[in-house]
Amino acid sequence: MKILIVGGGGREHALAWRLNQSPRVTDIVVAPGNPGLSGIARCVNVAADDIAGQVALAKLERPHLVIVGPEAPLVAGLADKLRAVDIPVFGPSARAAILEGSKGFSKDFMAKYEIPTAAYGRFTEAAKAKAFLDRFTAPYVLKADGLAAGKGVVIAETRAEAEAEIDAMLGGKFGAASATLVIEEFMHGEEASFFALCDGETAVALAGAQDHKRVGDGDTGPNTGGMGAYSPAPILDAAMQAQVMDKIVHPTVRGMAAEGRPYRGVLFVGLMIENGKARVVEYNVRFGDPECQVIMARLKDDPVPQLLACATGGLAGCKRMERFSDPAVSVVMAAAGYPGEPKKGGVIRGLEAANKTPGVTVFHAGTAQRGEDIVANGGRVLNVTATGPTLQEAVKRAYQAVDLIDWPDGFCRRDIAWRALARG
Ligand code: AMP
């Protein structure tokens, strides 16, 4: 089989790395890809959100399956355009990707199908939005309706801050994405990520993970796209996974089918778990980054039959992917300045030695090739990913590899997986 992967970060590197191990796969193309893929995939320089360019590439390459990594091309309808030319796609149509593309849609949908989530209101007028704050106490949760490059959620500590943010968002802070605003109840508890595979009718559990959003040790400092992740997540034990499938995933897939928006691809549910009950924080319509890296590292069964079934139907008849290896952890190495303006261009050495550490694979997230050198070319630059017989051992291996990487501009958190390690 030939597989085309859309995207160029650590998530797409991890997908290509795992698919390269499948006996069914002979050829992998990644667009745009990154230098870490050399030797396992052919990279073609088409941007992930260049919809016309991606369709033209797929028509030229005629892959047996396209896997779309990021959300933006899905929300923009890439999967629809590929299906229209008979190319199987792992990823939802635009009508289904609206689960991530519009917070207002997803909240109304959850209310209709009685899927547990925070109480909310949806607003286009500042005065009404401000009056709605009376229902809650601080902190206040404000969300831009549309995609805002991961920056559309604001947790305001005071009423004054919340009111100022309402004016800013409805005043066009995120352009059309914040013309509508969702205000919701602040949920307490422990966050976790759950992933299920769906073919429009059937959903099967894949795995759970937890990530670290704050830039600094001890979960301090500004929010980021994610500074590290691990899987499995102890809080998502078998009973909790069964609850999430029963109360959230199955009703979501049934509800989307009933709405005429059948959901195909991976459904990533962001959860808040308190007192044994899981509620939805948000839906995502693609793999998490860096959660994908740890899930791919753990997966022993060949994922190709299930990924293909998500695209073409028949997931119910597929053998479940049940064999997972030891725990996995991924430590993100970011460039100085991140999550603000990152320092680009610094030479990264020691990657070969790091990759030789037992159980370790270094995925590239934001690198570029400059002559013979690999240089930093983004905020989150490397995902140092390790498996081990225990989570402790996986963490030790990951940091051993981190310490072999010679990149003066790079930094990482030193406490990835602390929550799971603290449970013992
Ligand atoms: P989202 O992009 O919707 O996942 O929101 C980003 C982050 O904001 C989440 O990972 C949570 O940490 C936090 N968050 C979002 N909504 C809520 C909520 N209703 N209560 C508490 N925290 C929230």
Side-chain angles (χ1 to χ4, degrees):
M1 280 178 65
K2 182 195 245 190
I3 302 204
L4 169 61
I5 299 174
V6 176
R11 167 179 49 207
E12 290 77 24
H13 186 177
L15 286 164
W17 171 85
R18 184 61 191 82
L19 293 172
N20 185 51
Q21 297 166 45
S22 166
R24 294 175 173 87
V25 175
T26 51
D27 194 4
I28 304 175
V29 181
V30 189
N34 70 46
L37 289 157
S38 84
I40 61 172
R42 193 153 43 86
C43 295
V44 182
N45 194 13
V46 177
D49 54 7
D50 173 1
I51 305 298
Q54 291 287 352
V55 173
L57 177 65
K59 281 165 116 173
L60 187 72
E61 295 282 351
R62 282 278 149 194
H64 299 93
L65 179 66
V66 177
I67 300 176
V68 184
E71 63 277 13
L74 292 166
V75 171
L78 177 57
D80 308 82
K81 293 217 161 68
L82 293 172
R83 284 189 189 112
V85 291
D86 289 327
I87 295 174
V89 193
F90 179 84
S93 66
R95 280 175 59 75
I98 193 172
L99 269 185
E100 179 167 357
S102 166
K103 303 258 187 213
F105 173 90
S106 75
K107 296 298 287 188
D108 291 349
F109 172 82
M110 286 186 270
K112 181 169 175 185
Y113 291 94
E114 298 181 344
I115 294 166
T117 187
Y120 77 106
R122 218 179 149 168
F123 303 93
T124 51
E125 290 170 42
K128 287 186 182 159
K130 288 176 189 174
F132 189 72
L133 295 175
D134 288 344
R135 296 216 192 172
F136 304 118
T137 53
Y140 301 98
V141 182
L142 311 175
K143 300 186 176 183
D145 179 69
L147 294 184
K151 298 194 171 72
V153 175
V154 172
I155 314 271
E157 296 299 335
T158 64
R159 173 94 185 213
E161 209 185 303
E163 296 201 356
E165 193 58 42
I166 287 171
D167 287 329
M169 284 206 194
L170 292 176
K173 181 178 176 189
F174 298 112
S178 65
T180 299
L181 196 65
V182 167
I183 300 180
E184 59 180 51
E185 165 201 1
F186 182 85
M187 294 188 283
H188 295 273
E190 185 171 337
E191 282 193 77
S193 305
F194 186 75
F195 298 84
L197 297 176
C198 314
D199 71 352
E201 293 173 2
T202 301
V204 298
L206 178 61
Q210 278 180 305
D211 74 346
H212 297 264
K213 285 273 181 236
R214 303 293 196 98
V215 75
D217 283 10
D219 293 330
T220 54
N223 259 324
T224 68
M227 293 300 291
Y230 51 97
S231 176
I235 194 166
L236 283 167
D237 60 12
M240 183 54 72
Q241 292 203 28
Q243 180 194 127
V244 172
M245 288 302 290
D246 189 40
K247 304 273 189 231
I248 297 171
V249 174
H250 290 311
T252 300
V253 171
R254 278 197 301 267
M256 290 297 280
E259 297 289 313
R261 299 171 184 270
Y263 189 90
R264 299 190 185 91
V266 60
L267 183 67
F268 162 4
V269 195
L271 300 167
M272 189 70 81
I273 301 172
E274 189 186 24
N275 299 328
K277 293 260 180 308
R279 291 198 281 171
V280 177
V281 177
E282 62 161 359
Y283 289 112
N284 297 116
V285 298
R286 34 77 196 178
F287 280 111
D289 187 346
E291 291 93 331
C292 184
Q293 288 79 318
V294 285
I295 294 173
M296 290 303 131
R298 286 183 61 215
L299 210 52
K300 277 197 171 165
D301 284 334
D302 180 4
V304 168
Q306 285 214 348
L307 298 181
L308 193 60
C310 288
T312 57
L315 188 59
C318 259
K319 192 174 144 296
R320 261 199 72 175
M321 281 187 280
E322 278 172 339
R323 292 187 312 129
F324 286 95
S325 79
D326 306 331
V329 63
S330 187
V331 175
V332 171
M333 293 187 78
Y338 181 76
E341 197 52 47
K343 192 165 172 202
K344 290 188 181 175
V347 177
I348 303 169
R349 296 196 174 85
L351 287 167
E352 208 170 308
N355 264 313
K356 282 191 184 140
T357 312
V360 169
T361 309
V362 182
F363 297 119
H364 290 220
T367 65
Q369 185 91 40
R370 198 174 63 198
E372 295 286 290
D373 292 329
I374 297 289
V375 299
N377 191 37
R380 295 186 298 163
V381 174
L382 300 170
N383 309 140
V384 182
T385 307
T387 55
T390 61
L391 185 62
Q392 281 83 346
E393 184 62 23
V395 168
K396 198 170 123 202
R397 290 172 173 184
Y399 284 113
Q400 267 170 4
V402 163
D403 291 336
L404 290 169
I405 293 173
D406 172 14
W407 172 34
D409 299 331
F411 73 95
C412 66
R413 279 182 60 164
R414 284 277 160 186
D415 64 346
I416 298 305
W418 70 265
R419 202 187 286 275
L421 295 175
R423 281 173 183 250

